[in-house]
Amino acid sequence: MANSPSGDSMLDRLVRILDAFDQHTPSMSVLALARRAQIPKATMYRLLDEMVSHGLLSRGKDGQVTLGLRLWELANRSAATQGLRKAALPFMEDINALLGQNTQLSLLHEDEVLIIERLSRPGSVVNQASVAGRMPVHRTSMGMALLAFSRPEAIHGFLERHRELMLATHPNFRAEMAEIRRNGFASMDGYIDEETTGVAAPILDLQGYALAVLSVVVPRGSATLPAAALALRTAARGISRALGYAADA
Amino acid sequence: MANSPSGDSMLDRLVRILDAFDQHTPSMSVLALARRAQIPKATMYRLLDEMVSHGLLSRGKDGQVTLGLRLWELANRSAATQGLRKAALPFMEDINALLGQNTQLSLLHEDEVLIIERLSRPGSVVNQASVAGRMPVHRTSMGMALLAFSRPEAIHGFLERHRELMLATHPNFRAEMAEIRRNGFASMDGYIDEETTGVAAPILDLQGYALAVLSVVVPRGSATLPAAALALRTAARGISRALGYAADA
């Protein structure tokens, strides 16, 4: 359908245009957008008009292009993540207030950690996560907790696709997975900031597999890590229950 | 570009497909989707495959179609609303905790109230707002506060487009607008539930126009309404300041 001479479809181009925007580059000129999305200038101008008229993009008085509010509305009002967010937010507020650290809700998506929600706290330690941002599985407590509590075939598939990286960074991968499952949480030294440690507890379904993970970042070497892990596990069980999954004994 | 025989473009169809999903219908069969989006069945099957491969739609084991996580990610990671949400969330938590009622953050979009964020509270009064949901301007305190604190030409334009409805429901429209501006908040009896009253205070920019509105729903006739309004105005000023707008005296 609607393929350009170069063979990419309208949807390919549309997704490349939306993908050109991220948290570091929320707005750009039309020419920069054409360059980032690898779309010929003339085509970009035509697409821009049509996307602006549908509210998928917005063009400011200064000519800068941003994502449109209508796109946000369409993507959010029935998002699969809304139910999870709604159930998790009160518990995230509790963790945020009691531990005084940034609190994240994430899930595994396309072999990466996707941040669904984040509550931040003035004075909490540095933390690079942002809503709808992605983080690597092998470098984060979130990723390792999500992986450890995945179905065996999903863990196997992940390892097949990333064997070299995982075994280089986690030489005792299977033992580590087993330990995370035994402990009920994962902890890992900071991915960006080495002075921090991430702690993550899974939100489990009835079969004991992770739907998502709740995490905080604490100062490295903090004596409060075991307490933080226990608080996270408590909140994660509350979220499971709020979602209709009774926490098992 | 890429027009079908019926003359609607690929983007027209794409937006109709995304628009078919809402909070009440987050998933549906392919045939129901084709019907709701007014797209011929064969075209729908082809589009579905392409949209699923791009992660814009997702197809479950039961054949039900939902919006894809990739769409959510693309729309959220650089959304114009993220800065506002981030600045507002700590203040929304304060209001939510102190007043013990659902707290909403909304803005005016295409002549309707668009809910950007919402914190709910167990035990708070009934409230129909949901994230990315829309509410009518003339029936909500959010809408009336947003309108009263709009630029004069925007109020004029809104009234031109909705004169009959506004004057039928708000016979003293201009006096009411002036009163809301004088009070610094709007209140209105519940839109869905008559036993409730909405209270809304604007988050103002440097010129004194509303960027957004903060609101709660309280039991109707509650003696705490003036206190709730003052708390909302206080929090709304904090949000303005967090966004870089110094609240004026």
Side-chain angles (χ1 to χ4, degrees):
Chain A
M1 140 206 14
N3 284 356
S4 71
S6 61
D8 64 356
S9 76
M10 172 66 202
L11 262 185
D12 292 331
R13 294 190 300 249
L14 175 90
V15 170
R16 285 208 307 275
I17 290 171
L18 301 181
D19 200 20
F21 298 86
D22 60 33
Q23 69 231 54
H24 306 295
T25 318
S27 70
M28 64 194 84
S29 69
V30 187
L31 293 183
L33 179 55
R35 201 164 48 238
R36 281 176 77 114
Q38 299 178 278
I39 287 172
K41 267 188 279 184
T43 310
M44 188 64 242
Y45 275 103
R46 194 161 38 76
L47 275 172
L48 177 69
D49 285 343
E50 213 191 338
M51 289 179 75
V52 166
S53 80
H54 280 94
L56 302 182
L57 293 177
S58 174
R59 194 168 186 177
K61 282 174 192 158
D62 55 1
Q64 293 290 103
V65 183
T66 58
L67 295 184
L69 203 50
R70 175 82 173 134
L71 174 70
W72 179 87
E73 181 187 11
L74 289 170
N76 281 276
R77 66 184 184 183
S78 90
T81 56
Q82 287 294 12
L84 177 61
R85 269 191 79 238
K86 200 173 166 183
L89 262 176
F91 295 95
M92 293 180 70
E93 286 171 35
D94 295 341
I95 289 294
N96 198 226
L98 294 174
L99 301 188
Q101 296 293 353
N102 298 331
T103 310
Q104 285 85 229
L105 175 71
S106 337
L107 41 78
L108 206 54
H109 179 55
E110 294 174 353
D111 288 356
E112 292 186 285
V113 177
L114 180 65
I115 317 285
I116 296 299
E117 186 52 273
R118 172 171 200 258
L119 294 182
S120 53
R121 207 70 184 165
S124 55
V125 300
V126 176
N127 170 327
Q128 301 292 329
S130 66
V131 172
R134 292 192 187 205
M135 310 276 272
V137 168
H138 72 291
R139 295 289 303 276
T140 59
S141 61
M142 299 175 277
M144 294 302 281
L146 283 164
L147 194 56
F149 286 91
S150 291
R151 289 170 190 279
E153 62 272 23
I155 301 178
H156 181 77
F158 185 92
L159 195 58
E160 285 297 301
R161 290 187 294 279
H162 308 280
R163 179 172 291 277
E164 211 171 340
L165 177 66
M166 287 310 285
L167 295 186
T169 53
H170 297 270
N172 301 309
F173 178 76
R174 296 212 173 269
E176 207 180 329
M177 292 283 107
E179 194 193 346
I180 293 170
R181 280 192 292 268
R182 205 163 49 238
N183 291 341
F185 71 94
S187 72
M188 238 182 127
D189 290 342
Y191 160 47
I192 309 267
D193 183 344
E194 293 205 350
E195 297 304 304
T196 64
T197 298
V199 193
I203 297 161
L204 302 176
D205 65 14
L206 279 179
Q207 284 84 44
Y209 297 119
L211 300 160
V213 73
L214 193 64
S215 63
V216 291
V217 177
V218 299
R220 186 162 173 182
S222 166
T224 63
L225 195 148
L230 195 54
L232 281 177
R233 291 174 65 197
T234 306
R237 278 172 175 249
I239 299 170
S240 290
R241 203 162 41 243
L243 286 166
Y245 302 104
D248 44 19
Chain B
M1 139 207 13
N3 282 359
S4 71
S6 60
D8 65 355
S9 75
M10 173 66 203
L11 262 185
D12 293 331
R13 295 190 298 250
L14 175 89
V15 170
R16 284 209 308 275
I17 289 171
L18 300 181
D19 202 18
F21 298 88
D22 60 33
Q23 69 232 52
H24 307 295
T25 318
S27 70
M28 64 194 86
S29 70
V30 186
L31 292 183
L33 179 55
R35 198 163 52 239
R36 280 177 78 115
Q38 298 178 278
I39 288 174
K41 267 188 279 182
T43 310
M44 189 64 241
Y45 275 104
R46 195 160 38 77
L47 276 173
L48 177 69
D49 285 343
E50 215 190 338
M51 289 178 76
V52 166
S53 79
H54 280 94
L56 302 181
L57 293 178
S58 174
R59 195 167 186 179
K61 281 173 194 160
D62 55 0
Q64 293 289 103
V65 183
T66 59
L67 294 184
L69 203 49
R70 174 83 173 135
L71 174 71
W72 180 88
E73 181 188 11
L74 288 170
N76 281 278
R77 65 184 185 182
S78 90
T81 55
Q82 285 295 11
L84 177 61
R85 270 190 78 238
K86 201 172 165 181
L89 262 176
F91 295 94
M92 293 180 70
E93 286 171 35
D94 295 341
I95 289 293
N96 197 227
L98 294 174
L99 301 187
Q101 296 292 353
N102 298 331
T103 310
Q104 284 85 229
L105 175 72
S106 337
L107 42 77
L108 207 53
H109 179 56
E110 293 173 353
D111 287 356
E112 291 185 287
V113 177
L114 180 65
I115 317 286
I116 296 298
E117 187 51 275
R118 171 167 202 259
L119 295 182
S120 54
R121 208 72 184 161
S124 54
V125 299
V126 175
N127 170 329
Q128 302 291 328
S130 65
V131 172
R134 293 193 186 204
M135 310 275 274
V137 168
H138 72 288
R139 294 290 301 276
T140 59
S141 61
M142 299 177 275
M144 295 302 279
L146 282 164
L147 194 57
F149 286 92
S150 291
R151 290 171 187 280
E153 62 272 22
I155 301 178
H156 181 79
F158 185 93
L159 196 56
E160 285 298 301
R161 290 187 294 278
H162 308 280
R163 178 172 293 278
E164 210 169 340
L165 177 66
M166 288 310 286
L167 295 185
T169 53
H170 297 270
N172 301 309
F173 178 76
R174 296 210 171 271
E176 207 180 328
M177 292 281 108
E179 194 194 348
I180 292 169
R181 281 191 293 267
R182 206 164 48 238
N183 291 342
F185 72 93
S187 72
M188 238 180 128
D189 288 343
Y191 160 46
I192 308 269
D193 182 345
E194 294 205 347
E195 297 304 305
T196 66
T197 297
V199 193
I203 297 161
L204 302 177
D205 65 13
L206 279 179
Q207 284 85 47
Y209 296 119
L211 300 160
V213 73
L214 193 65
S215 63
V216 291
V217 177
V218 299
R220 186 162 173 182
S222 165
T224 64
L225 195 148
L230 195 54
L232 281 177
R233 292 174 65 199
T234 306
R237 279 172 174 248
I239 299 169
S240 290
R241 203 159 44 241
L243 286 166
Y245 302 104
D248 46 15

